[in-house]
Amino acid sequence: MSKRDRAARAKNDGQSTAADSAAEELESRDDTVEAADASDELRPTGKRSGRGRRSSASAVDTKDGDSESDGGSAVAVKERKVKKASEQSSNPFVRIWVFMQQVVSEMKKVIWPTRRETILYTIIVLVFVVVMTAFIFGIDLGFAKLVLWILG
């Protein structure tokens, strides 16, 4: 039986003072949980665009001008400009510039590790390198002694 049910039963049984305060406390907790759930809906998860965030309940404009309110995506999608084959530049500097712009836009989408995670991963890699170096050194030393013992 949940606290809410117990509070309701106690209220009905005539224990109004303690039950009322318990019920009010539970209702206030529920309100804060609902407010937290509403704020969680607005917070994106995973890789998201830094610009133009919208909640999933907001209307999404389509090309026709009407709006859809069926949920849509939480990510604002910028329509890409499609170049025709005749519009593509043969200038190598323009192509390099476009490539660099695309690199920058992709790097903005990356979720970078925190400082703590970076330090932890670095320590793990260094420990792994030391262990593997010791292992390979031991194998090399063992084979060297074996070859000296066989060949004399």
Side-chain angles (χ1 to χ4, degrees):
M1 179 182 292
S2 70
K3 290 181 180 180
R4 177 183 279 173
D5 294 337
R6 277 186 245 141
R9 179 179 284 176
K11 186 175 183 180
N12 291 338
D13 290 342
Q15 300 173 352
S16 61
T17 57
D20 288 340
S21 62
E24 288 174 8
E25 181 182 340
L26 287 174
E27 288 175 6
S28 66
R29 285 185 188 172
D30 290 341
D31 292 341
T32 57
V33 169
E34 290 172 4
D37 290 343
S39 66
D40 288 344
E41 287 183 44
L42 299 177
R43 297 184 68 199
T45 58
K47 295 183 180 181
R48 300 286 192 240
S49 173
R51 303 176 246 114
R53 290 186 182 157
R54 293 185 283 200
S55 69
S56 61
S58 66
V60 179
D61 290 332
T62 60
K63 290 181 182 179
D64 299 329
D66 56 344
S67 62
E68 298 175 347
S69 59
D70 60 344
S73 173
V75 179
V77 180
K78 184 178 179 181
E79 291 192 28
R80 295 181 181 166
K81 297 176 184 175
V82 180
K83 287 187 176 182
K84 295 179 183 174
S86 62
E87 291 182 25
Q88 288 183 347
S89 176
S90 61
N91 185 349
F93 295 111
V94 171
R95 296 171 94 188
I96 291 172
W97 179 254
V98 169
F99 173 74
M100 294 306 291
Q101 286 178 330
Q102 291 172 349
V103 167
V104 169
S105 70
E106 289 297 319
M107 293 301 282
K108 287 180 182 178
K109 296 176 187 176
V110 174
I111 298 176
W112 296 100
T114 63
R115 180 180 177 89
R116 182 174 178 263
E117 290 173 337
T118 305
I119 291 171
L120 182 67
Y121 297 155
T122 302
I123 290 171
I124 290 171
V125 167
L126 291 176
V127 167
F128 180 77
V129 167
V130 167
V131 168
M132 290 306 295
T133 302
F135 177 71
I136 292 173
F137 174 75
I139 290 176
D140 184 47
L141 188 65
F143 282 134
K145 294 221 182 226
L146 181 67
V147 169
L148 283 176
W149 179 71
I150 292 175
L151 298 177

